[in-house]
Amino acid sequence: MNRVMKSVLLAGAAWSAASSMAMAQDAAPQNDQTALDDVVVTARRRDEQLKDVPVAVSALSAEQLERTGAADITALQQQTPNATVQIARGSNSTLISFIRGVGQQDPLWGFEPGVGLYIDDVYVARPQGAVLDIFDVNRIEVLRGPQGTLYGRNTIGGAIKYVTKRLGDEFAFMGRGTIGSYNQRDALVSATIPLGETFAVGGAFAKYDRDGFGTNLFTGEEQYDKDVTAYRASAEWTPTDQLFVRFAWDRVEDDSAPRHGHREVNSTTGGYTPPANIYDTNAGVQGNQEVQTQGTSVTVEYTVNDTLTLKSISAWRSGDTATVIDFDQTPLPFLDVPAVYADEQFTQEFQALMQGDNWSGVAGLYYLDGKSSGVFDTIAGNLGLAIAAAGYVNTESFSAYADFSYDFSDRLHASLGGRYTQDKKDAGVQRFFYLGAARSPLTGGTARPIFATRTNYTADDTFEKFTPRASISYDLTEEMTGYASISQGFKSGGWDMRGDAALVPSTVNGYQPETVTTYELGLKGTAFDRRMSFASAAFYSDFQDQQITTQQVATLPAVGIASVVDNAGASTIYGFEFEGRAFITDSITSNVSVGYLKNEFDRFITRVTGAPVDISNLREPQNSPEWSAFWGVTWTGDVAGGELNITPSISYRSDYHLFDAPDPILDQDAYTLVDLAAIWTAPNGHYQVALTGRNLTDEEYKVGGYNFAGATFNNSISAFYGPPRTFSASVTVRY
C-alpha cells in the first residue's frame, strides 16, 4: 500500500502543477482572493517576500494549519519536506526535531538540540515543554539547513520559528470549544482590548484534555492522555509611528500521566509478553509527570529614519520537569528511571536593520546566560543497585553577526554574512551507586550511604566558531528567482551527564563541537498569472565531528551502565525539496511538498571496546527517511449562505531508523497518514464549525523507542507510537 501511496503523492505533485498550467491559460484570477497572495517571512531577520529569500523555508500560515486540522507543532512533520518533528520518547511535551537528517535525539540536560526553536525571535534553549499547541499563531516558519549566521548556536539542522499575532488597535474576541475521540475536551479563549489609540492588551487561555489511547495494565493509569493548560498575555504600545514596544508572557503546564513505551518482545524474567494494544504497557515505576515552562519578553523597535531601525529583544525563560520512565515496561524494577530537570535562561539581542536604495541588511549582538541541571536514577533490579546521575551545565554565550544583501542590477543580487559565537561552559557531573533496587536519596528515596562513586568532576571549556553564509540570486523573470548559497552552522561541545568515569575514564574530557556546511541551489517563484507558487532546492551537506551517543553495559569487575558521547561520526547528506501551491480552479486549491534525503555515514568510530574501530558500514543515520511527501486539496464553496472548506490530505514517509544501530524490531517501515478537515464559516464571519478526522486509516507507526536487549535488562525493547485514528468537532466564535 505504501508504494502505491508514494506514487499517488508524487503523481499529485505533477498533477497539481500540470492542472494549474492548463487551466491558468484560460482562467485568470478574478479577484485578490483567487490570486496567490505574497507570503512575507522573516527568515533573514527582516520582512521579505518568500520568493526573494535565498533560503529553503516553509511558511505555514494559521489558515493553512487550521484547514489541515493541525493540533500542535508536530503537524509540521507531515507538511514540511525532510523534517522530523515529534514528541520525545517517554514524554508528553518534550520536542525532538530533525531537519535534513540533522538534530538531537537525546533531550537530556546539557545536550544541545540541533534544530533551533524560536517563539517571536526568542530562542528556546531546552526542548522540555516545547511541543507547542497551535493557537494565537500568525504563521510557523521552518528554515531548512544550517542557519549559523542569523540564528547562531545550535541551528545546524535548521530553525523553527513560531510567530504569534500582533494585537493591533481593534477589539477582537475568539472562543473555541472542541470535543472528540477519547473524550477530548478542549477550550480556547483569546481577546484583544485596545486601551486608547496607542496601547492594547491581549490574552489567551487554552485547556487541552483527552483520555489516553491506552492503559497501564499494572497501575491502571492512562497512557498517552493529555492534560495541558496554556496561558499567554501581551501588551503593545505604539506612542509614535517610530516606536513600538511589546511585552509578552506565556506559561504551559503539562500534568498528563507518565507515558511509557510498548514492550515489543517477550521478557526474559516474569513472563511478560507484548500487550495486544500498542498503546498499553505493564510499567511498574511509580511517580508523577509534571512539566512547567514559562517565559517573558520585551521587544522594542525604534525607526530612526528610512534607512535604520533599531531593535532590542530581552527575554527570560525557565522550565521544571519531573517524570518517570520504565524502560523495561514490566512491574519488575529492571530498568526504572525517575528524573527531575530544571533550566533557566536569559537572553538579550540588539539588532540594527538597514535599508538603502540597492542594499539591505541586519547586524546584531546576542547574549545568553543559561543554566540547566538534573538528576535521575537508573534502578537496576537485577544488579541490586540504584545508579544515580546528577549534574549541571552553565552556559554563557556571546555572538556578533551581520548579513547584507546588495543589488548589482534589477535582477542580480548577492548576500554575504557571518557570525562569531563564543560559548563559555562549566559543568559538574556526578554518578553514584547505591545498594538496593529503589530510588536513590537524590530523587527522594530512602537515605543510605553511597556504595561507590563512579563519577565526580567539574570542568570548563570555551567553544568558539565563525560561521559564514554567502548567496547569489538572479531573477530569471519578474516572478521567478534562482539562487545558489553556501552556509555553515555549529553546535557547541560539552560533557556527558551520564558519563561513568570508572567505566570510561575519557568521559571527563567531554566532546567537541560539530559542524555542518551546506551547499544549496534553489528555484522559487510564481507562474501563470500568480495562480501557482513553488519553492524548490537541491542541497549537499558535509556533517563533521558528529556528537554520537552509544551505550556501554559492563559486568564484573567493572559493573555499570553508561553512555559514551564523543565526536564519533561524519556524514554526507544530500537531497532535494519541492513545495507548491496552485489554484487549480477558483474553488480548488492544492498544496504539495516532496522531499528526498540521502544520509550516509562516512565515519563512525567506536572506542568503547578498546582501540578505535570504524563501524560506519554497520550504522545508519536516524530519523532520515529517504522520501517524505504531502498532498492536500482544498475545495471552497458557498453552502447555506456561508463558506465551506473541505481539505483531504495525505502524507507519506518512507522507512527509517530510530537508532543508528539498525534493528528490525524498532526500525519503522514506510507509512501513509490520511486526514480530512471540513470548516464552515458563517456569512458574517462570526461563527465557524469544523470537523476533523486524523489518521483515518488507523496507521500504526513508531516515533521513538529504547533498545536494551538481552537478559541483563530483561530483554527491554520498547517503542512509542504516533496517535491512532481520531475525530473531533469544534465550534468557534469570533468578534
Side-chain angles (χ1 to χ4, degrees):
M1 175 183 177
N2 282 307
R3 289 183 179 178
V4 174
M5 295 308 295
K6 174 182 172 182
S7 300
V8 169
L9 280 163
L10 297 178
W15 175 81
S16 297
S19 297
S20 64
M21 290 177 187
M23 296 185 179
Q25 297 175 2
D26 300 320
Q30 300 299 311
N31 53 52
D32 290 340
Q33 291 180 340
T34 58
L36 288 174
D37 295 331
D38 291 327
V39 178
V40 176
V41 297
T42 56
R44 294 200 296 177
R45 298 283 193 172
R46 48 201 187 266
D47 291 345
E48 296 177 291
Q49 291 183 358
L50 179 60
K51 71 180 185 66
D52 295 331
V53 179
V55 178
V57 53
S58 301
L60 285 77
S61 67
E63 179 185 39
Q64 184 176 348
L65 292 165
E66 185 177 73
R67 283 187 175 183
T68 54
D72 58 49
I73 201 170
T74 62
L76 297 175
Q77 174 171 294
Q78 292 177 245
Q79 301 189 43
T80 305
N82 291 332
T84 295
V85 185
Q86 281 290 356
I87 300 174
R89 55 198 182 190
S91 165
N92 289 295
S93 56
T94 298
L95 189 67
I96 293 295
S97 301
F98 282 72
I99 296 178
R100 293 180 174 175
V102 180
Q104 174 56 262
Q105 179 72 272
D106 199 333
L108 193 69
W109 79 92
F111 291 151
E112 307 282 9
V115 174
L117 176 64
Y118 292 80
I119 302 177
D120 290 331
D121 284 334
V122 174
Y123 174 60
V124 180
R126 302 301 306 142
Q128 280 77 23
V131 179
L132 305 173
D133 288 284
I134 294 174
F135 73 98
D136 197 33
V137 63
N138 178 275
R139 68 183 182 278
I140 298 178
E141 299 176 16
V142 182
L143 286 61
R144 299 188 296 277
Q147 308 296 321
T149 295
L150 290 174
Y151 294 89
R153 62 194 314 268
N154 306 331
T155 56
I156 58 172
I160 299 174
K161 296 186 62 178
Y162 190 95
V163 184
T164 62
K165 297 177 181 178
R166 284 197 173 184
L167 297 178
D169 56 3
E170 296 183 357
F171 173 82
F173 171 84
M174 192 270 278
R176 175 179 296 157
T178 303
I179 58 173
S181 306
Y182 299 95
N183 200 24
Q184 178 185 355
R185 309 169 309 282
D186 299 343
L188 169 63
V189 177
S190 66
T192 296
I193 304 174
L195 301 176
E197 296 182 354
T198 63
F199 187 72
V201 296
F205 169 81
K207 187 73 174 74
Y208 302 96
D209 287 290
R210 188 198 64 235
D211 293 347
F213 300 143
T215 304
N216 187 321
L217 303 176
F218 177 70
T219 66
E221 285 186 299
E222 293 186 280
Q223 274 271 93
Y224 292 83
D225 71 321
K226 189 170 185 177
D227 182 1
V228 174
T229 308
Y231 312 84
R232 284 193 193 149
S234 58
E236 295 179 358
W237 182 44
T238 313
T240 69
D241 292 339
Q242 293 176 288
L243 181 62
F244 171 79
V245 181
R246 185 175 195 259
F247 166 82
W249 170 81
D250 66 89
R251 179 177 174 85
V252 176
E253 300 171 354
D254 182 359
D255 295 315
S256 310
R259 186 161 72 117
H260 304 289
H262 174 265
R263 172 170 277 277
E264 298 292 294
V265 296
N266 295 339
S267 66
T268 54
T269 302
Y272 291 95
T273 59
N277 182 353
I278 59 172
Y279 303 103
D280 285 350
T281 186
N282 280 296
V285 65
Q286 301 292 308
N288 296 326
Q289 173 171 279
E290 297 176 352
V291 181
Q292 293 94 31
T293 61
Q294 61 181 328
T296 59
S297 65
V298 178
T299 302
V300 181
E301 294 183 26
Y302 181 69
T303 303
V304 179
N305 49 45
D306 291 341
T307 302
L308 178 64
T309 297
L310 301 177
K311 189 174 182 179
S312 168
I313 307 169
S314 307
W316 168 85
R317 298 197 66 83
S318 70
D320 293 283
T321 299
T323 187
V324 291
I325 304 174
D326 192 321
F327 284 64
D328 68 289
Q329 315 302 331
T330 75
L332 305 173
F334 265 78
L335 205 57
D336 294 349
V337 179
V340 178
Y341 308 137
D343 64 88
E344 185 175 6
Q345 69 176 63
F346 169 78
T347 58
Q348 174 62 56
E349 185 166 6
F350 295 107
Q351 297 178 6
L353 295 89
M354 291 157 275
Q355 178 74 51
D357 292 336
N358 59 350
W359 63 275
S360 65
V362 59
L365 299 173
Y366 179 82
Y367 173 79
L368 176 143
D369 183 10
K371 302 176 177 62
S372 60
S373 61
V375 57
F376 70 89
D377 291 337
T378 302
I379 301 172
N382 60 320
L383 301 177
L385 294 174
I387 304 171
Y392 67 87
V393 178
N394 298 325
T395 303
E396 188 174 32
S397 180
F398 170 81
S399 59
Y401 64 90
D403 184 90
F404 285 88
S405 300
Y406 184 79
D407 301 330
F408 289 100
S409 69
D410 290 341
R411 292 196 173 190
L412 182 61
H413 322 279
S415 177
L416 183 64
R419 186 184 191 108
Y420 169 76
T421 301
Q422 182 187 78
D423 285 356
K424 294 182 178 180
K425 291 187 174 183
D426 65 88
V429 182
Q430 297 175 319
R431 188 175 178 87
F432 306 127
F433 282 3
Y434 293 88
L435 292 178
R439 283 178 181 255
S440 77
L442 276 64
T443 60
T446 303
R448 54 195 190 274
I450 297 172
F451 173 69
T453 298
R454 308 284 292 186
T455 306
N456 190 5
Y457 72 89
T458 59
D460 62 84
D461 205 345
T462 299
F463 309 100
E464 51 191 350
K465 182 73 174 177
F466 176 76
T467 49
R469 176 181 172 83
S471 68
I472 187 167
S473 58
Y474 185 77
D475 297 335
L476 303 173
T477 67
E478 290 185 0
E479 301 195 357
M480 194 172 300
T481 300
Y483 70 88
S485 69
I486 178 174
S487 58
Q488 190 176 76
F490 99 110
K491 186 169 74 173
S492 190
W495 299 268
D496 182 6
M497 295 294 108
R498 299 189 188 91
D500 190 318
L503 190 63
V504 185
S506 62
T507 188
V508 302
N509 299 325
Y511 49 88
Q512 295 302 303
E514 59 183 20
T515 61
V516 175
T517 303
T518 295
Y519 307 86
E520 185 169 302
L521 296 174
L523 181 67
K524 58 174 64 176
T526 61
F528 304 105
D529 204 12
R530 296 168 53 80
R531 296 189 69 89
M532 183 181 75
S533 67
F534 70 94
S536 59
F539 61 89
Y540 176 93
S541 297
D542 181 19
F543 194 1
Q544 293 293 324
D545 300 318
Q546 287 177 248
Q547 300 163 4
I548 294 179
T549 303
T550 55
Q551 298 293 329
Q552 170 72 356
V553 178
T555 55
L556 294 174
V559 176
I561 315 158
S563 66
V564 178
V565 182
D566 57 21
N567 302 96
S571 298
T572 296
I573 308 171
Y574 59 90
F576 68 81
E577 297 147 351
F578 175 85
E579 297 177 279
R581 183 185 183 200
F583 279 99
I584 299 174
T585 70
D586 287 348
S587 60
I588 299 178
T589 306
S590 178
N591 289 278
V592 173
S593 70
V594 178
Y596 172 77
L597 181 66
K598 194 65 175 179
N599 191 355
E600 298 176 327
F601 280 117
D602 300 321
R603 184 179 71 252
F604 193 115
I605 304 298
T606 176
R607 297 179 175 86
V608 174
T609 57
V613 178
D614 186 352
I615 57 171
S616 55
N617 62 318
L618 303 176
R619 292 293 186 263
E620 296 286 348
Q622 56 185 310
N623 289 316
S624 299
E626 189 170 2
W627 288 97
S628 58
F630 172 84
W631 182 24
V633 178
T634 297
W635 175 84
T636 302
D638 295 332
V639 175
E643 181 181 271
L644 177 64
N645 293 287
I646 300 177
T647 304
S649 62
I650 54 178
S651 59
Y652 170 84
R653 287 168 72 82
S654 61
D655 55 277
Y656 60 93
H657 303 277
L658 293 177
F659 295 95
D660 50 58
D663 185 333
I665 297 174
L666 291 178
D667 290 344
Q668 174 60 49
D669 293 333
Y671 67 90
T672 301
L673 299 180
V674 180
D675 301 328
L676 178 65
I679 303 174
W680 181 81
T681 305
N684 58 13
H686 293 322
Y687 305 99
Q688 190 176 78
V689 178
L691 301 175
T692 302
R694 298 188 66 81
N695 190 8
L696 294 179
T697 59
D698 206 20
E699 191 85 9
E700 296 181 358
Y701 60 100
K702 306 180 188 76
V703 297
Y706 291 106
N707 187 352
F708 292 92
T712 301
F713 297 111
N714 206 10
N715 205 21
S716 300
I717 302 177
S718 59
F720 298 83
Y721 287 83
R725 177 172 49 227
T726 59
F727 298 95
S728 65
S730 66
V731 176
T732 303
V733 178
R734 288 188 175 93
Y735 284 97

